[in-house]
Amino acid sequence: DVKVTQSSRYLVKRTGEKVFLECVQDMDHENMFWYRQDPGLGLRLIYFSYDVKMKEKGDIPEGYSVSREKKERFSLILESASTNQTSMYLCASRDGLAGNTGELFFGEGSRLTVL
Amino acid sequence: SQQGEEDPQALSIQEGENATMNCSYKTSINNLQWYRQNSGRGLVHLILIRSNEREKHSGRLRVTLDTSKKSSSLLITASRAADTASYFCATDGGGKLIFGQGTELSVKP
């Protein structure tokens, strides 16, 4: 059974803290994605990665960075958390060989609250 | 850059009724996908329709695609309370999927 695991379902952090959101997939997928989801705004793409050590900016990369040192792991980093980064964060992966026709497999989400 | 936009934003129906959700998009696509999200959970892929297809079925789901109007619809027949969820369309854009804002479906028993 395919699986995308996000390390934390719920986090509460303070403004200015550095935050790491971890995502691991067990499907040997090349492509991995980070989205944030906010009411009324749907899902917005933050960063994605086609392969190890590769990263591409999505639509809203400001205030975020990512790391992909291993194929199975894609980390989202908030260098200095701010209250407007309070959101649900969703990680997803996709088989790179499927190209644009591939479905995304999502994790359960990490709900981050920044106080 | 919002590509797909769903309509309506919210839909409430009785069990047994059909539910129809619509999605419009702006640029040409290779395929369009529909996803479902239960409250507080991740998204789950439902169905994919390619640009050269007009209709596709999967169980109680029926998806249509009209590339001339840049629109798609998702029909859930004989709805059940367990179908209560948010439904999103997604279109490909340069190797990444771009999601709409979703339709929140509530099916009352």
Side-chain angles (χ1 to χ4, degrees), chain B residues 34-78:
Chain B
W34 284 91
Y35 287 78
R36 166 195 167 125
Q37 183 183 34
N38 287 356
S39 180
R41 310 295 292 273
L43 279 73
V44 176
H45 181 263
L46 292 176
I47 195 165
L48 178 151
I49 186 164
R50 299 177 193 277
S51 59
N52 61 354
E53 296 175 313
R54 292 295 166 258
E55 189 170 311
K56 201 161 183 180
H57 296 255
S58 177
R60 293 185 296 113
L61 304 180
R62 173 179 166 248
V63 170
T64 61
L65 179 65
D66 187 335
T67 53
S68 65
K69 295 181 180 177
K70 292 186 169 58
S71 68
S72 173
S73 67
L74 171 67
L75 168 68
I76 303 174
T77 60

Side-chain angles (χ1 to χ4, degrees), chain A residues 76-95:
Chain A
L76 180 68
I77 303 154
L78 287 66
E79 294 289 341
S80 178
S82 62
T83 55
N84 63 13
Q85 292 178 310
T86 291
S87 187
M88 168 73 104
Y89 290 88
L90 292 162
C91 174
S93 73
R94 179 169 67 182
D95 183 354

Side-chain angles (χ1 to χ4, degrees), chain A residues 9 33 35 37 40-45 48 50 57-59 88 90 94 100-104 106-109, chain B residues 1-2 30-31 33 35 37 40-45 48 50 88 92-102:
Chain A
R9 288 295 309 277
F33 305 81
Y35 290 87
Q37 183 177 24
L41 297 177
L43 277 76
R44 293 179 291 166
L45 182 64
F48 60 108
Y50 286 129
K57 291 180 180 178
D59 299 318
M88 168 73 104
L90 292 162
R94 179 169 67 182
N100 290 341
T101 62
E103 68 176 273
L104 291 187
F106 280 86
E108 288 294 298
Chain B
S1 57
Q2 211 72 22
N30 294 317
N31 65 79
Q33 302 183 31
Y35 287 78
Q37 183 183 34
R41 310 295 292 273
L43 279 73
V44 176
H45 181 263
L48 178 151
R50 299 177 193 277
F88 295 85
D92 65 279
K96 55 188 181 182
L97 277 187
I98 302 172
F99 288 80
Q101 296 179 11

